[in-house]
Structure formats: structure tokens, C-alpha cells
């Protein structure tokens, strides 16, 4: 099967957004063993989009259109494809239900543009949108499979993984199945990880290995192709063993829908522990990450954002003289913050963050210098890090590092 | 002039690298007022690359080829273009000198592939490579300007800025410029905003108007084309006035590199006010958003994450009996949290968040129900919202709403 991706959006042609969608989908196609010799980008213009579709159809048998399913007048992809293949748009009931619920919940009138988001070419297979309102679609015409995907990555990516990939597998002659195992790592860069595993990756065929970087984490997706789950798992096991033998120290969990924060919350639950935090440069981002996890209330009662020196002293009961003596960017302060938070919030584990987010230096220490403290009834410790990158990079890397240290601390108790 | 970018590289088709080069060059073209209606990606294959060039030449008068100028056998772009336009490759002396020096330095034999890096189509204008060895080129054939750029961004980007852009400016007949103004809105959806402005958008020509959604905000980019900044601004002013007349109540600031949090921090500075927060469902995300802004320490000393009911009482000094009476998802609690935080952190403005992030309901109230409180020495108020979407959506919309309410409160004092 020969695939072609058409990314639709004037903002791509203007260079206002980078076409990451094409690379995400391309990677999935490669994993499926579907070749692709061309990609196109076209703007929000019906005529030119139609030309792009005709061209793709003339040389590919799987045409994947990404973007232009939104509620604005310049979102035309669905309408243009419908006209191109001569299949009128009809309402998808599941999608319109969802849209109506959304309208009610938000107490907002639905526009006609909204309604188009819930429509599909006649007889098309809907691809449910787990996150947003625009339903995707897959439909055949002129011996070509056409796929409609939404532009926002957080809607498009799960639709591809959960809805499109299984259907593409069915289209393939051998009807084999794909079984993936996703391994999540923190504390090692992608290039370092890939170097560690160079021979495994070079030799890859079945299972395949793909690495992804997101939010300072590296994810490896191992995908085996076989006639049965058992056969696929048998192919995956030895490769996973090799990988864990090399980089297991950085491994923290499995699965697409996992995160360091989620792993931390689950670990806390399993040990019946509770967590709190005292955050300076991260300013609440660590606790907000925990808050992303449903059910966190079982292990998290609250904590502190202590940005100013005076606030560190007041909220956490730290001796202001000693604080001034050691400075806020210090092992003393990191430990005192963690211990202070542990007591003030009466939790079993406390993480503290103090350092220099930047861009300016602080107390003569360069941006990126971050002390992270870990307090537990059994004692307190702190470690210093020098994170590269922007103010945001420094703060969010600190959060990830804090989550990783929390996880190891929980596992140690 | 109509431009078309062709990115060359099988690694793009495999999703192994993201096509950031196309967006970089596209942005430069847009700034120059050069329109582009298509982009292509093609692999390292001579025949298909030649097809891509023919297609681009048939519909564009500026064809920019990126990638495939390297020393490996699969780098074919220069050779394929040379054959396509019937101009043999000849050595560029400056480039071959550089190459020979490099070879000596590395004490390395130059391969034939190396030498091709220093060659250009006959009569082509060389585009010097400040960083690497592959010389770029610009050449005309079939009334089309062809440009050859190297793939590595660190080589391509300076070549574009310093070598290509000046030459493209010379090619333009009118020598017009583009001036953009970016208007940022919160509290109105893209579809609603676009509906409000339907006639303005439909009538767009010069200035053009484009809408984008990100992080629950809507951004409008107005772009005028004229002979001078003054003339462009004169074109932008009336359109902006019309827009502000219709949806000004949702406007919060200008510019690409702006955010609600940044606008709040600047407003606080200008009024010499300080802010704090008591966060339940948002769990620190509001304060973390403030922390994203460099220099926030001037207006933010710290605050509280009060997730559990007991923590709300303890940290913020709220009467536990009354708290239990009214429930945590209530106007009372939102007001009490804001007032408690204002006093405990000794700030001039306090924002509080309490509600149901979901997925489960709480106190019989559905997910998405959020009370946001605003406390100031002059008084306290609270508003309830019903946010749609996932747990994350609810929490981050609440943060945005809190920032917007903070901004309006600051502006009112």
C-alpha cells in the first residue's frame, strides 16, 4: 500500500506552525510497513485542496488528510473531499450527541459551523475523537482509501493510534496484528538512549522500535507483527529484556496513557503514603502535575508555593536568619523547605524546589541551578541540578526531576 | 511571486525528523510578502524528485529545494536539478577552497561526493554556507527561480537570512512589505468570534485576517501589505477598530509573544499590586502560570494549594463547620479561600479556585462546575462556571478564567 499525507492549513504555509502532524502519522505508517513517497501541504483553499487530492489519488492508494475539520469557515477539508468523491456529508449521531452535550454543558448556542464538525461523507467509517468535537472519517472511493483527521495533535494522535491504525491493519493483505509495548524513561536524552541501543535499533525489523521525546521524557514503542497476541508478545519479550538490561535505571513505567505524575500517585496509593510540596521556582507546577491525575485527592491534601524568601520563612517556619545566611539557592534551604512542608502539611513525603529559573542569575548562581529536597519521617536529603534551556525548560525539568525523585523515594519505603 | 518549498529527504517521509526547515523558510517568505500555496516533501529518489520539481515549476515561479546537498550517495538534489534544467554542475572555487582546507584540517581524503558539495549548476548564483561545506545556489530556468538549500538547520537558516532573503527582495517588483498585528482574546470561542466577524473575514484582502486557537485563547492576526510601515499601519487601524467594536470585551493584549499571565503580571506591576492564590482543583496551575513570567517575583510572593477540605481550613483559617455546611464547591468557600489567602499571604489581590475537575462529580455537582473567587481589600466576590471537556480542560480553563478575572480586577483598581 502506498500512502500520502496531505496536511491542510494556511498557517503551515505561512510558517506559523510546524507540520509535526505529518511526521507523527508518517512514523505510524512506517511502523505498519506502509510506504510513503510524497507528502503535500496545501492551504485552506477549496480548489487547491481538490487539486492536491487529485494528485495524491493518482499516485497513492491511501490518502490521509490532516486538518481543516474545525468549526471556522476556512475549515473545508471535509466539504472538499465530500464533493471530490461525490459522497454528501451526513450527520454522525454519536458526534452530534457529543456536540449537543458540549453546547449544553457550556451553555452555548451551536453554530452551523459547529454542526459540520459532526458530519461525515455518506457511508464513511467514523473515527471517534476522544478529545475534541470534530469526528474523523475513513472512506473508499476510486480504489483509494481517504482518511480525514483533525489538526490539533492532542485530538489527532489518539485518533490515529486507537482508531486508524487498527483499521489500516485490517486493510493489509496478511491480516496480521500489531502489538505494541510502550516503555517510558526519564533522566536520559533521546540521543543517549538511542546510542545505548544502536545495535538493537539498527537490527530492527520485527519488532520495530520507535523513540519519541515529549516533555523531557523519552518513550520507546516496540511493535511486533504476528498472527496472534501470544506470538507478538513472544517477539517483544526478548527485545524488552535487552533494553531494560541497558537502560532500566531510567525506566519508570509502561503505556501511552501514563505519566511520571500518574506513576507517582499510584506508587503513593500502593504504599498508603501522602505527598506535599514547597515550591519556589516551579511556583506550583509540581503540585499541578499531581493534580492532573484523577484520584490524587487520596494521596495529596495540599502544599505551598513559597516564591519570596519571607514567604519561605513564614509558610514553612524556616529561621529567617539561617535562610539569609545560606541563601535561597542552597542545600540548607531545599532541606528546610522540604522538612517545613512535611510538618506543616502533615504528609509522609515532601518535595521542595528552590533555584534559579532565569533568565537572570540569582545569588551569583547561573540560571538552571536547582536544588530539590526530599523529606520523609526517616530523614531529609537534597540534590543540586544544572538544567539547560529557557526559564520554562528549567522549571518543567525541575518538576519532572522532582517527580522522579519522589517515585524512587516512595519505592524505597 | 508564487513560491513553493520542496523538502527532500526520506527521513521526513519516515517521520524520523520533523520538517522544521519548511516552516522556517515559509515564515521568511511570508514576511517578504511572497505567497506560497503548496509545499511538497519527497524522498531521496531522483525520479520522484524530478516529478516534484516539474509539478512545482508548473504552478510556482520560485521553487526552493531544501536538503540533499550532503556528501552521501543519497544526496541527489543538486544533481537532479542540474539535469532538470540542463545546466551542468561546475565547481565553485570559493567552496572547493573551503573544502580542501577542511580536508587538510581533518587529514582526510576528499571523496567525489565531497567535491559535489562544492559544485553548482552553470551560471548559478552561489549562496555561501557560513557553517558547513555544501554551497547553496540560486538559478533561473524556464522563467522559474530555483533555490538549493542545505538540510541541516544550522547551515540553512543563516544562508536564508543572509544570502537568500536579500536576493529575493531584489526580485520583487513592488518591493512591498508586510506588517502584522496580533490581537489576543479570551472568553470567546473561535467559532463564535469568527461568526461575530464573518463579514470582516469574508471581505478580507488587504489586510488579511487569520484566526488561531491555542490554550483556550483565540488569536487574530491582521496582516497588511504596503509600501511602508506607515501605509500598512494605516490599513490595519480601521480593521482593528471594527474588530474591537464587536469583540473588544474579550480582548486582553497584543503580540505573538504575549500571554494572559504576562499581561496580568505587567498590569500588577503598573499598579504596584501583589497577587496570591488559594487553589483547590487547579492544584497550583494558576500560580505556575504566573511563575512562567520572568520577573514575576516583583508581584508574587507565594500562595497555597489547598486540595483537601481540612487543608483549606488549616492553611487559610476557614471555619471548618461553615466549610462543611456550605460544601467545598460553593460561593462561600470560594470567597473564604480568596479572603483567607489575601490575609495569610498579605497580598493586595487573591484569586481562589474550588470546584469539580472530574471525571467524577462532587457534592452532587457535575464535573466542570468551578467557583472562582476574587478578593481585594475593597471586597470579595465569586463567580461560578461550567467548563466542558476533560479533567485537564476544566482545570486549565479555570486557570485562564482566573487570570482573566485577575486582569479585570487589576484594571478596575
Amino acid at each position: 500500500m502506498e500512502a500520502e499525507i496531505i496536511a491542510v492549513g494556511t498557517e503551515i504555509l505561512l510558517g506559523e506552525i510546524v507540520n509535526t502532524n505529518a511526521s507523527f502519522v508518517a512514523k505510524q505508517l512506517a511502523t505498519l510497513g506502509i510506504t510513503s513517497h510524497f507528502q503535500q501541504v496545501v492551504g485552506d483553499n477549496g480548489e487547491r485542496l481538490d487539486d492536491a487530492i487529485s494528485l495524491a489519488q493518482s499516485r497513492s492508494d491511501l490518502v490521509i488528510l490532516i486538518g481543516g475539520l474545525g468549526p471556522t469557515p476556512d475549515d473545508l477539508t471535509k466539504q472538499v473531499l465530500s464533493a471530490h468523491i461525490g459522497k454528501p456529508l451526513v450527520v454522525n449521531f454519536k458526534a452530534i450527541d457529543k456536540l449537543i452535550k458540549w453546547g449544553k454543558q457550556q451553555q452555548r448556542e451551536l453554530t452551523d459551523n459547529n454542526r459540520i464538525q459532526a458530519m461525515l461523507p455518506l457511508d464513511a467509517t467514523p473515527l471517534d475523537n476522544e478529545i475534541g468535537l470534530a469526528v474523523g472519517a475513513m472512506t473508499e472511493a476510486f480504489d483509494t482509501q481517504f482518511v480525514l483527521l483533525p489538526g490539533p495533535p492532542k485530538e489527532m494522535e489518539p485518533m490515529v493510534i486507537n482508531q486508524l491504525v487498527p483499521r489500516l491493519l485490517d486493510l493489509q493483505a496478511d491480516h496480521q496484528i500489531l502489538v505494541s509495548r510502550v516503555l517510558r524513561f526519564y533522566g536520559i536524552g533521546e540521543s543517549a538512549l538511542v546510542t545505548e541501543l544502536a545495535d538493537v535499533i539498527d537490527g530492527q525489523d520485527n519488532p520495530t522500535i520507535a523513540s519519541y521525546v515529549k516533555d523531557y521524557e523519552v518513550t520507546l514503542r516496540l511493535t511486533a507483527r504476528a498472527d496472534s497476541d501470544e506470538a507478538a508478545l513472544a517477539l517483544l519479550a526478548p527485545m524488552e529484556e535487552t533494553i531494560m538490561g541497558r537502560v532500566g535505571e531510567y525506566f519508570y513505567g509502561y503505556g501511552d496513557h501514563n505519566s511520571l505524575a500518574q506513576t507517582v500517585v499510584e506508587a503513593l496509593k500502593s504504599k498508603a503514603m501522602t505527598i506535599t510540596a514547597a515550591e519556589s521556582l516551579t511556583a506550583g507546577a509540581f503540585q499541578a502535575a499531581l493534580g492532573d491525575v484523577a484520584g490524587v485527592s487520596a494521596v495529596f491534601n495540599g502544599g505551598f508555593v513559597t516564591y519570596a524568601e519571607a514567604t519561605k520563612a513564614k509558610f514553612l517556619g524556616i529561621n529567617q536568619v539561617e535562610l539569609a545566611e545560606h541563601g535561597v539557592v542552597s542545600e540548607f534551604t531545599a532541606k528546610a523547605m522540604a522538612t517545613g512542608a512535611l510538618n506543616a502539611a502533615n504528609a509522609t513525603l515532601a518535595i521542595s524546589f528552590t533555584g534559579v529559573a532565569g533568565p537572570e542569575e540569582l545569588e551569583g548562581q547561573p540560571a538552571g541551578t536547582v536544588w530539590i529536597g526530599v523529606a520523609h519521617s526517616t530523614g531529609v536529603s537534597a540534590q543540586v541540578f544544572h538544567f539547560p534551556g529557557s526559564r520554562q525548560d528549567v522549571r518543567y525539568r525541575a518538576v519532572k526531576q522532582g517527580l522522579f525523585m519522589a517515585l524512587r523515594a516512595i519505592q524505597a519505603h
Side-chain angles (χ1 to χ4, degrees), chain A:
Chain A
M1 186 156 42
E2 177 71 30
E4 182 158 349
I5 295 165
I6 303 176
V8 185
T10 301
E11 63 272 36
I12 303 173
L13 294 175
L14 290 171
E16 281 162 3
I17 64 170
V18 176
N19 190 5
T20 53
N21 286 343
S23 60
F24 178 87
V25 174
K27 206 174 251 191
Q28 302 305 318
L29 294 173
T31 310
L32 287 164
I34 298 173
T35 56
S36 177
H37 289 138
F38 299 96
Q39 288 177 6
Q40 299 185 66
V41 178
V42 61
D44 304 306
N45 172 286
E47 210 171 298
R48 287 188 287 268
L49 175 52
D50 191 68
D51 291 345
I53 294 171
S54 302
L55 173 63
Q57 177 188 321
S58 71
R59 61 190 181 187
S60 307
D61 17 57
L62 170 63
V63 176
I64 300 176
L65 294 144
I66 311 175
L69 304 191
T72 71
D74 63 359
D75 292 306
L76 297 167
T77 308
K78 202 179 279 182
Q79 297 88 314
V80 170
L81 180 66
S82 151
H84 182 89
I85 61 179
K87 294 183 179 181
L89 290 176
V90 297
V91 162
N92 174 262
F93 291 108
K94 189 171 171 188
I96 198 79
D97 272 1
K98 190 170 167 187
L99 193 61
I100 290 162
K101 277 202 194 69
W102 171 84
K104 282 213 186 91
Q105 193 178 9
Q106 214 172 14
Q107 305 178 357
R108 183 187 284 193
E109 274 301 308
L110 295 182
T111 65
D112 289 348
N113 286 328
N114 282 132
R115 291 193 181 83
I116 293 173
Q117 292 189 282
M119 299 178 85
L120 292 181
L122 185 66
D123 305 329
T125 309
L127 303 177
D128 295 344
N129 187 329
E130 300 170 14
I131 307 297
L133 297 170
V135 63
M138 184 164 181
T139 185
E140 187 177 352
F142 316 117
D143 298 322
T144 306
Q145 291 288 343
F146 292 94
V147 174
L148 290 166
L149 297 173
K154 72 183 208 303
E155 299 182 24
M156 182 276 291
E157 293 179 7
M159 189 183 287
V160 167
I161 297 287
N162 303 327
Q163 308 274 324
L164 180 60
V165 166
R167 287 176 174 84
L168 291 178
L169 271 166
D170 290 343
L171 288 181
Q172 289 179 298
D174 56 18
H175 289 291
Q176 287 193 308
I177 56 159
L178 284 189
V179 177
S180 286
R181 177 161 298 170
V182 172
L183 311 182
R184 307 178 70 96
F185 299 87
Y186 173 78
I188 182 169
E190 186 182 27
S191 51
L193 185 100
V194 166
T195 308
E196 284 285 340
L197 303 174
D199 54 323
V200 186
I201 291 169
D202 293 345
Q204 71 174 299
D205 167 29
N206 187 22
T208 57
I209 309 182
S211 65
Y212 305 85
V213 186
K214 205 175 175 195
D215 302 335
Y216 319 111
E217 298 185 20
V218 186
T219 297
L220 287 181
R221 174 182 292 269
L222 319 186
T223 306
R225 196 186 176 97
D227 297 329
S228 69
D229 286 340
E230 297 64 31
L233 293 171
L235 288 167
L236 288 170
M239 180 180 269
E240 180 180 349
E241 201 174 307
T242 311
I243 292 169
M244 294 299 259
R246 305 239 191 120
V247 291
E249 70 195 281
Y250 305 104
F251 172 82
Y252 77 80
Y254 289 100
D256 276 314
H257 303 290
N258 194 359
S259 71
L260 254 175
Q262 198 174 313
T263 311
V264 165
V265 169
E266 280 154 17
L268 287 164
K269 283 182 180 169
S270 71
K271 296 279 178 89
M273 294 170 72
T274 61
I275 191 167
T276 188
E279 304 187 55
S280 184
L281 78 156
T282 51
F286 176 82
Q287 296 169 82
L290 293 173
D292 284 341
V293 182
V296 67
S297 55
V299 298
F300 175 65
N301 295 321
F304 306 89
V305 178
T306 55
Y307 213 72
E309 186 172 333
T311 315
K312 291 178 178 68
K314 186 180 176 193
F315 292 3
L316 306 172
I318 304 173
N319 180 309
Q320 201 143 14
V321 179
E322 287 183 288
L323 199 51
E325 240 167 55
H326 294 86
V328 292
V329 188
S330 66
E331 179 172 12
F332 167 84
T333 302
K335 286 180 172 175
M337 285 172 68
T339 309
L342 191 75
N343 300 332
N346 183 23
T348 49
L349 184 71
I351 309 294
S352 69
F353 301 85
T354 184
V356 193
E360 278 69 43
E361 61 168 36
L362 181 63
E363 298 177 349
Q365 305 199 55
T369 309
V370 179
W371 280 93
I372 301 180
V374 181
H376 180 268
S377 56
T378 58
V380 60
S381 64
Q383 249 181 287
V384 67
F385 300 88
H386 301 280
F387 297 118
S390 69
R391 176 181 175 87
Q392 265 63 351
D393 289 323
V394 170
R395 296 174 63 243
Y396 289 97
R397 277 166 179 260
V399 167
K400 287 281 181 177
Q401 186 63 45
L403 288 167
F404 194 67
M405 288 164 73
L407 180 62
R408 292 302 187 230
I410 298 158
Q411 290 166 338
H413 288 290

